[in-house]
Amino acid sequence: MRACVPLIVAVLCGLAWADLYSAPTSCQGRCREAFDKHQPCHCNARCQEFGNCCEDFESLCGNHEGFSRSSDAVTKGELQSTSEKIYRADTNKARKEDIVLNSQSCISPSETRDKVDHCPQPLFTYVNEKLFSKPTYAAFINLLNNYQRATGHGEHFSSQQLAEQDTFLREIMKTAVMKELYSFLHHQNRYSSEQEFVDDLKNMWFGLYSRGNEEGDSSGFEHVFSGEVKKGKVTGFHNWIRFYLQEKEGLVDYYSYNYDGPWDSYPDVLAMQFNWDGYYKEVGAAFIGSSPEFEFALYSLCFITRPGKMCTLSLGGHPLAIQTYTWDKTTYGNGKKYIATAYVVCSTR
């Protein structure tokens, strides 16, 4: 079997960003907000180019890493330390014996567009489904089928589906992973209470935004965890639990992989090619064996502290980076806050 070619792997994830303050003539709480012609001055990335920045743009938005006060900025070392604490706190992750993978054929980056099925067997040979009875897993799985996968069709939630969102957030907030994240952000003056944090997470992940012409046809949760189809291609779909359940139902056909992470225990990272009920995914990287709260925590940490920037983390001594990007067409924060896409970049060391 040929060796797998090392490469940089990207995992798409949709998140959102909420500001702390609102001051129309100041950049306090407005750094990198979307352009709004009704504002008297601006704080977006191009305001200096157009000469319409607020007077305090440089002092408040000048490389303060996502926070409105430079004293609240988070250093690279703090991010790496916090991510290691989150990594160690994930007691709900799968043990090595809980998952048996059959990764089979590794292809080169130049072959990922070929749409060739190199693997006659499923990716997952065995998963200990007792994991799915854990409260956060069970609550997470209840959310997966609450969406239309085709973009361009507005999402509408029933009262039960909205309650399922609240149940999931309530369950993950009981875990050491999310308590670790909240403690860090509270210490950094990002949130004054746990309820404020939970409310922001709900908007961040479940607030709707538009990927096409239809208003409110997508959300961070839908894109990252459930998966979408846009213009005949799979987008998002970066969760091992979703993959396993869809593969078990015969809806996912695993084709190949082109990256396997350096971790020798779970969570690990695998970048793969697959067909999802008639639609191809060219490179879909995902954590394998992580708990739902672990992924939630890492993506949230990076978007809150590094909106629109590269976020360098450390997991079990191995570097990992998440790049976030902003999204303007959102109902989150009345259009003044960002929805982001985040790329997870895994070290090849």
Side-chain angles (χ1 to χ4, degrees), residues 115-189:
K115 301 183 182 181
V116 175
D117 188 352
H118 296 277
C119 300
Q121 301 298 320
L123 172 64
F124 287 94
T125 298
Y126 169 76
V127 171
N128 180 1
E129 293 194 5
K130 290 182 179 179
L131 286 169
F132 302 158
S133 65
K134 294 185 176 185
T136 59
Y137 284 78
F140 174 81
I141 290 170
N142 284 340
L143 294 170
L144 291 175
N145 292 320
N146 290 350
Y147 301 93
Q148 303 179 72
R149 70 174 185 173
T151 59
H153 300 278
E155 299 289 355
H156 304 281
F157 301 117
S158 67
S159 58
Q160 178 180 340
Q161 290 171 333
L162 291 172
E164 288 172 351
Q165 296 174 5
D166 292 331
T167 297
F168 174 70
L169 291 171
R170 184 168 60 251
E171 292 299 333
I172 65 172
M173 286 306 300
K174 295 177 184 178
T175 67
V177 164
M178 293 302 291
K179 289 185 181 299
E180 190 70 57
L181 176 61
Y182 170 69
S183 176
F184 173 72
L185 294 173
H186 176 68
H187 179 74
Q188 294 291 331
N189 298 316

Side-chain angles (χ1 to χ4, degrees), residues 2-5 105-118 255-258 273 280-283:
R2 57 182 164 166
C4 195
V5 178
S105 181
C106 176
I107 65 173
S108 67
S110 63
E111 296 175 279
T112 59
R113 297 183 181 181
D114 294 346
K115 301 183 182 181
V116 175
D117 188 352
H118 296 277
Y255 278 17
S256 55
Y257 76 99
N258 61 313
Q273 293 68 49
Y280 184 65
K281 182 69 176 180
E282 185 176 325
V283 179

